[in-house]
Amino acid sequence: MRALLDSVVAGASDPEIVGVEAVAKSALEATADDVLTADGYILGTPANFGYMSGALKHFFDSTFLQVGGALDPSGGAGESAGETQGRPFGLVVHGRYDSTARTA
């Protein structure tokens, strides 16, 4: 994950890309204010048993309502998606496939 993060930050910090400041924070350090002030997001996580890391899950759980994640009556984001609606994002999930693993 560190190598992927370093590559993403290096690419986003390329001098030919004007007006972009890449800021890297761990999921346990990032806050709702970080989300609200960013123009876009790239989230990275290892795959843990087919799911995101506990740290990234904690980040989502602890910032959801503060960043405008209130759900509409149907349970979807809909028009109530808040201030971050429409901002670009990326998700990098790194897992390992072991072709030698066998199940009984």
Side-chain angles (χ1 to χ4, degrees):
M1 287 307 305
R2 173 55 64 182
L4 289 170
L5 168 67
D6 292 344
S7 294
V8 167
V9 171
S13 301
D14 187 296
E16 292 187 26
I17 302 174
V18 180
V20 172
E21 176 189 0
V23 177
K25 292 202 174 190
S26 75
L28 296 176
E29 295 175 334
T31 66
D33 287 337
D34 294 325
V35 174
L36 293 171
T37 58
D39 294 322
Y41 320 95
I42 299 175
L43 307 169
T45 182
N48 293 325
F49 301 106
Y51 196 65
M52 73 182 89
S53 69
L56 188 57
K57 172 82 167 73
H58 174 76
F59 166 75
F60 286 137
D61 290 346
S62 64
T63 62
F64 180 74
L65 294 176
Q66 295 170 355
V67 298
L71 301 177
D72 67 21
S74 75
E79 293 182 25
S80 65
E83 295 180 47
T84 61
Q85 184 175 12
R87 291 185 189 172
F89 71 93
L91 176 63
V92 176
V93 179
H94 183 279
R96 181 178 159 217
Y97 173 73
D98 185 350
S99 63
T100 64
R102 303 206 184 261
T103 57

